[in-house]
Amino acid sequence: METNLVMDFIVDKENKSVRIKREFNAPLSDVWAAWTEPEILDQWWAPAPFTSKTTSMEFKEGGRRLYAMVGPEGEERWSLFEYSSISPKTNFKHSSTFCDAEGNPNSIFGSSHWDLKFSEKGDLTVVDITIKRDSFEELEKIIEMGFKEGITATMQSLDKIFETRK
């Protein structure tokens, strides 16, 4: 597996955001599918030992994804994505909100607002993600919960999927 793939993780306190720039050793169409198709998302969208379980997903503007990260003891941590903008194979935006199994928001954490941009760089695909929060305190909470470590492990799981397809 290629080990020199770039992953930047930059916290921008002033703009209450995190920017993640990540390279993948896979074609753009495969990377796009991995981020937008529930069958593939559920194979990697959770840091081990958690797994991802999508209950429903409509990848379209105004659509939603309701899913849980399921722990080794069966505990479930639910989240809801609400898609606001989609430009096929180049960009999509969604909010991400912690919720219950029915999709009712957990108001303690508020929502993250994700903007994902996809581009090609030679044989690699780059995903450039900006995640904004309503307040820096909310952003700090998510980071303290281990967001950087979790998203890093999750991206490595996606690398493994692409490696097995070669």
Side-chain angles (χ1 to χ4, degrees), residues 30-49:
D30 289 356
V31 176
W32 179 263
W35 285 84
T36 62
E37 296 176 14
E39 306 80 29
I40 305 172
L41 269 167
D42 280 345
Q43 295 177 41
W44 69 274
W45 187 252

Side-chain angles (χ1 to χ4, degrees), residues 14-100:
E14 185 177 324
N15 291 306
K16 304 171 287 239
S17 65
V18 171
R19 182 167 178 217
I20 303 163
K21 190 172 186 179
R22 181 61 154 78
E23 294 178 344
F24 293 97
N25 189 9
L28 175 62
S29 58
D30 289 356
V31 176
W32 179 263
W35 285 84
T36 62
E37 296 176 14
E39 306 80 29
I40 305 172
L41 269 167
D42 280 345
Q43 295 177 41
W44 69 274
W45 187 252
F50 285 80
T51 59
S52 177
K53 173 180 80 173
T54 299
T55 301
S56 63
M57 181 169 168
E58 278 190 291
F59 184 71
K60 65 178 189 176
E61 289 183 13
R64 301 162 55 138
R65 175 186 184 218
L66 178 62
Y67 73 98
M69 287 192 187
V70 182
E73 305 298 320
E75 66 275 22
E76 298 175 335
R77 297 180 184 165
W78 289 91
S79 290
L80 178 68
F81 288 179
E82 295 183 281
Y83 300 101
S84 58
S85 172
I86 298 172
S87 297
K89 295 188 180 173
T90 59
N91 175 262
F92 69 89
K93 298 177 183 180
H94 68 80
S95 61
S96 176
T97 308
F98 292 112
C99 63
D100 64 18

Side-chain angles (χ1 to χ4, degrees), residues 88-158:
K89 295 188 180 173
T90 59
N91 175 262
F92 69 89
K93 298 177 183 180
H94 68 80
S95 61
S96 176
T97 308
F98 292 112
C99 63
D100 64 18
E102 285 76 46
N104 300 307
N106 174 340
S107 60
I108 295 171
F109 289 106
S111 297
S112 296
H113 305 280
W114 293 57
D115 183 353
L116 297 94
K117 297 179 176 111
F118 297 74
S119 61
E120 294 174 303
K121 179 181 167 188
D123 292 338
L124 304 176
T125 298
V126 178
V127 182
D128 193 346
I129 308 164
T130 301
I131 305 165
K132 292 188 177 187
R133 300 291 301 191
D134 292 329
S135 72
F136 183 68
E137 292 73 31
E138 286 181 9
L139 182 64
E140 275 186 317
K141 268 189 214 176
I142 301 301
I143 291 170
E144 288 169 7
M145 289 170 59
F147 178 70
K148 181 178 182 181
E149 296 78 11
I151 197 78
T152 300
T154 298
M155 300 287 181
Q156 291 168 343
S157 294
L158 183 51

